[in-house]
Amino acid sequence: MSEYNFNQIEKKWQRYWEEKHTFKAAAKSNKPKYYAMDMFPYPSGAGLHVGHPLGYIASDIVSRYKRLTGHNVLHPMGFDSFGLPAEQYAIQTGQHPAITTEENITRYVEQLKNLGFSFDWDLEIRTSDPGYYKWTQWIFMQLFNSYYNINSDKAEPITELVKEFEQHGNRNVNATCDEDTPAFSADEWKHMNEQEQSEMLLKYRLTYVAEAVVNWCPALGTVLANDEVVGGVSERGGYPVERKLMRQWMMRITAYAERLLQGLEDIDWPEPVKEMQRNWIGKSVGAIMSFPLESIDKKIKVFTTRLDTVYGVTFLVLAPEHELVDQITTEEQRKTVDDYVNVAKNRSERERMTDVKTVSGAFTGAYAINPYNKERIPVYIADYVLAGYGTGAVMAVPSGDQRDWNFATHFGLPIVQILDGQKDLDTQADATKEGRYVNSEMVNGLTYQEAQPLLVKYLEENNIGKSKINFRMRDAVFSRQRYWGEPVPVYFKDGVPHLLDVSDLPLELPKIDAYLPTETGEPPLGRAIDWKYEDQYPYELSTMPGWAGSSWYWYRYMDPKNDEVFADKDIIKYWRDVDLYIGGSEHATGHLLYSRFWNKFLFDMGLVVEEEPFKKLINQGMIQGRSNFIYRVKDSNTFVSYGLKDQYDTTALHVDVNIVDNDVLDLEAFKTWRAEYKTAEFILEDGKYLCGIEIEKMSKSKYNVVNPDNIVERQGADTLRMYEMFLGPLEQFKPWNTNGMDGVNKFLKRYWKLFHDNSGNFNVSDAAPTAEELKSLHKTIKKVEEDIERFSFNTSVSTFMICVNELTQLKTNKRAILEPLTIILSPYAPHITEELWEKLGHNESISYAAFPKWEEKYLIESTFDYPVSINGKMRAKMTFALDTPKEEMEKAVVNDEQVAKFIEGKAPKKIIIVPNKIINVVV
Ligand code: ANZ
């Protein structure tokens, strides 16, 4: 006698897999490799909710499928375990973040193991382990020791650059460097002191310290990256963010801008993510040109993508932070300008970029000359011009650019028509498409195509400017004034940064007494006692940002215990890259861009073999919460059921979904949920309290978080896995609805039943299968294979359900059908299938069985359902085997009960049979 006892079965196989290391990936193998990776989680205190496993289930199905199809599969899991929440908790409680992190990870591992994922747990990594971050620090050092050679289009050792400086200065050097890098000769280089040389090299290194305007978040006490600031506040916590000039570690990601853009062409990623990266990189082709100032002997350089509009320029606009603002402002305008600069200072770059509505600015009192028509134009400042983009100044063309137009109308500045027929001057003219230029000496009457080369020629011949490609992307700030991150492996000697020796790595986090900045405003590491290199040179006090450890982790999984290198070269050569990467789309311009950058750098260094890390990316959709509501009658402790609520004046309140079953509130549980509800009274309908529902984000504050542990306990992990897939296409956002879970659970019971007789005894026969049974099986194999290959998992679940229904109807209990079915179901429902596989007499795990091949011959239909029409009207349906002789069919038609009813005893005049189409009866 055996029931489908999922609790027992699931525990049994989870233990088995763990003990036998069933999912151990072979470090080398003759099998083809498949690397399926999930975005590793930050282990938060709240544990997993049912939304988290969605992507993990999908990648697990693929991993298990790939093992069944003869692949050596790498399917690891680890933890992105440095981060703010553990540190915030440490600030509040004094508990070391390592302890909180450890506790949270323990809970995550347990929850993940309960779901039966086929992770190779021997490869688990944690970014906060010194054995891991040793290599994050090591990669940082390689970046520090490198510069980007534009001629060879790759990163190269800084020592090569130093050699070149010694021989020729930087005259022949074509490298990505700071904008303000001066030209110098070999002689000048040799005469620089150590500090000067060091400062000069910092202008070239791929990681460097520099004064930068950063997003400073006083509440979090740290600097944030642009992608961590949303709508002017911190993404985490929603605290205000200010702009501040600080000395920071930076990553010269801009050196890779073009390659990051081009690389997108070669990878199979969702188009929206690629588009977000393209926009973030923001390549634009244009020109830099200079406008001489009238009052002083200086020029204002602008970057424009529309040199063709130069005859429509009616003013210039500088960013409020522009270095010339102070010098050119006249005495009369000084106060207006200073006031405006103060206001603009605290708006974040992103806010300034996206806010197109507010028009604000100030006149400096200065004038410049348009070198093309020699017109005198006023110079303004406005915060819609960004200090960090292009040259921080624009030539404003109100008839060509919306924001310039808004500005001109606001300040009463002239608007000059640039194209013929351009009447409607409040919209941007697309000169590249139509129209001929007017109001211009040089290009009057010409089209864009004719004008453009003339304008560029004039620019270059008269030394007014040159063509220029600009990227919107900025170098990434790499310092955080926090404790719980990787220490930067740098110490300072006379203010000059020096790298540690490789043998000093890892530079471990020191102990400190409190996780707060020091009295003098230094980062928490400033509290560490004697935290100095060789007891005399102070270490860097900031730590690395959250994205450091996640920018290379897929390599560490390949060889996580290696102490000599970040991963063995031969092992890297075997696994190469990630074949399938599943995770949330919120990382589009953060993690996914930084990872590509580090990967390209490691590739340039010859340390890895693929230039792109993630061949295929899938963003799983979010599982939304399904909230339940109760309705309190105003000024009372009485709650009215959903259907009656309109008869009262009520307030809707969230109620914990865990005390609601099929939208019916558990009244007793409700009364104990919170003290205030102890004396609650209810107005019921049909003796029940029905709750309202709404689909919202799953969150604690909405009491709609569903914990997978409860579901596993009640219905089993296999049910949860299949149910999550059944909810809909992986990429879609969809609401959670526990109500539908029973159907999946019943399906698994029915599948179990196929192997057992009515008294529950295991009973599988070795008889040969019928054509019908084979057909049901083979069309299922075919569909499931096709579905997994195109990552469509929800459709497979319904295919399995149909198959099991058919087999139940056919009363199938044959091994020849049930064995292959069990194999193809195993990626979805690994526990129940392992159990039945064992009962079928196998003593090896089902994980390495061979995925069955479907055969065309079993799929061919053997019967046809004929519609039967009588005197032109469809009256009946009759099924015939394809090879039934005509006479036999005619006889059957006449004798059919339905047909007989309509011909009322008359003999048919004619019976026309169109094979595989229709039967026509004429009476
Ligand atoms: C004149 C002009 C006429 C412009 C026209 C546009 C349209 P992308 O394509 O994003 O690179 N610009 C330049 N530097 C800027 C800064 N620091 N802050 C804000 N805007 C800036 O945009 C380039 C265009 O954006 C440039 O071309 C410049 O305005 C403006 F009908 O010059 B244009």
Side-chain angles (χ1 to χ4, degrees), residues 227-250:
D227 65 278
E228 293 167 329
V229 183
V230 177
V233 298
S234 64
E235 187 186 22
R236 257 182 206 285
Y239 302 111
V241 173
E242 310 169 351
R243 312 279 299 148
K244 197 171 163 185
L245 196 68
M246 285 175 77
R247 201 162 159 86
Q248 298 289 320
W249 282 96
M250 308 285 290

Side-chain angles (χ1 to χ4, degrees), residues 497-679:
H498 290 267
L499 288 182
L500 264 61
D501 198 80
V502 176
S503 61
D504 296 326
L505 297 184
L507 174 61
E508 292 197 35
L509 273 171
K511 287 206 171 47
I512 54 174
D513 59 347
Y515 306 94
L516 290 169
T518 65
E519 259 85 88
T520 52
E522 282 177 331
L525 288 188
R527 295 175 173 271
I529 297 173
D530 292 335
W531 209 52
K532 294 193 171 94
Y533 186 68
E534 289 175 347
D535 294 332
Q536 40 178 334
Y537 306 114
Y539 284 125
E540 167 64 48
L541 295 183
S542 60
T543 51
M544 298 189 194
W547 56 268
S550 57
S551 294
W552 69 281
Y553 74 114
W554 58 98
Y555 288 115
R556 192 60 179 169
Y557 279 138
M558 297 179 186
D559 192 12
K561 309 221 162 64
N562 201 323
D563 204 28
E564 303 294 311
V565 283
F566 70 88
D568 178 82
K569 191 70 195 281
D570 286 335
I571 298 180
I572 293 177
K573 271 191 192 147
Y574 176 72
W575 291 113
R576 308 189 72 85
D577 56 2
V578 176
D579 294 281
L580 173 66
Y581 193 25
I582 299 189
S585 59
E586 65 274 18
H587 301 289
T589 51
H591 161 62
L592 287 171
L593 199 61
Y594 299 132
S595 296
R596 295 184 57 222
F597 159 42
W598 278 31
N599 197 88
K600 282 177 194 295
F601 169 70
L602 294 173
F603 177 78
D604 286 355
M605 295 282 106
L607 297 167
V608 304
V609 290
E610 292 287 348
E611 192 168 341
E612 286 288 338
F614 316 125
K615 251 201 295 256
K616 177 167 183 73
L617 173 75
I618 299 182
N619 297 130
Q620 85 273 17
M622 212 182 330
I623 293 196
Q624 295 151 302
R626 188 175 181 282
S627 310
N628 277 119
F629 290 88
I630 48 169
Y631 305 90
R632 176 161 54 196
V633 179
K634 281 248 163 78
D635 306 320
S636 80
N637 207 14
T638 303
F639 297 85
V640 52
S641 183
Y642 177 75
L644 307 173
K645 73 175 174 28
D646 292 344
Q647 301 168 18
Y648 301 83
D649 185 10
T650 60
T651 322
L653 300 167
H654 280 98
V655 63
D656 187 349
V657 294
N658 293 301
I659 55 170
V660 178
D661 188 26
N662 271 323
D663 298 331
V664 177
L665 182 66
D666 177 339
L667 300 179
E668 286 317 306
F670 179 70
K671 285 184 175 178
T672 54
W673 183 39
R674 283 200 195 157
E676 53 183 299
Y677 297 144
K678 211 167 140 193
T679 57

Side-chain angles (χ1 to χ4, degrees), residues 717-735:
D718 284 341
T719 296
L720 178 69
R721 290 170 63 110
M722 291 202 85
Y723 181 62
E724 290 218 2
M725 292 298 99
F726 193 49
L727 281 175
L730 182 60
E731 298 87 343
Q732 246 169 40
F733 280 53
K734 54 218 159 206

Side-chain angles (χ1 to χ4, degrees), residues 313-424:
V313 177
T314 53
F315 53 100
L316 298 184
V317 189
L318 308 184
E321 304 88 341
H322 195 285
E323 54 177 17
L324 285 178
V325 172
D326 211 35
Q327 292 176 51
I328 64 172
T329 301
T330 58
E331 278 323 304
E332 304 85 79
Q333 292 303 108
R334 173 89 40 208
K335 183 163 175 353
T336 321
V337 166
D338 286 352
D339 288 350
Y340 184 71
V341 169
N342 274 331
V343 175
K345 208 168 56 187
N346 286 333
R347 296 227 299 162
S348 79
E349 192 161 306
R350 195 172 275 223
E351 203 180 327
R352 287 166 55 168
M353 258 157 79
T354 46
D355 179 10
V356 286
K357 288 201 203 90
T358 335
V359 179
S360 67
F363 178 43
T364 61
Y367 287 85
I369 305 296
N370 182 340
Y372 282 79
N373 58 13
K374 312 289 182 267
E375 266 176 32
R376 182 172 182 260
I377 47 176
V379 182
Y380 279 74
I381 59 169
D383 73 359
Y384 77 90
V385 177
L386 305 177
Y389 186 65
T391 60
V394 307
M395 58 180 218
V397 185
S399 55
D401 182 278
Q402 191 63 49
R403 292 206 286 190
D404 297 346
W405 189 89
N406 295 348
F407 196 86
T409 27
H410 186 82
F411 286 96
L413 293 160
I415 299 172
V416 173
Q417 181 185 356
I418 39 180
L419 292 174
D420 58 6
Q422 189 189 359
K423 293 188 200 78
D424 192 5

Side-chain angles (χ1 to χ4, degrees), residues 1 7 64 104 110 136 146 174 204 225 233 252 274 306 341 366-367 449 508 622 639 651 749 786 822 843 865:
M1 179 70 186
N7 286 328
R64 288 174 177 274
N104 293 349
E110 189 186 300
T136 310
S146 306
N174 187 14
Y204 288 89
V233 298
R252 208 178 295 280
K274 289 192 185 183
R306 294 290 305 277
V341 169
Y367 287 85
Q449 279 73 16
E508 292 197 35
M622 212 182 330
F639 297 85
T651 322
K749 283 187 184 141
E786 286 168 359
T822 299
N843 42 30
D865 296 335

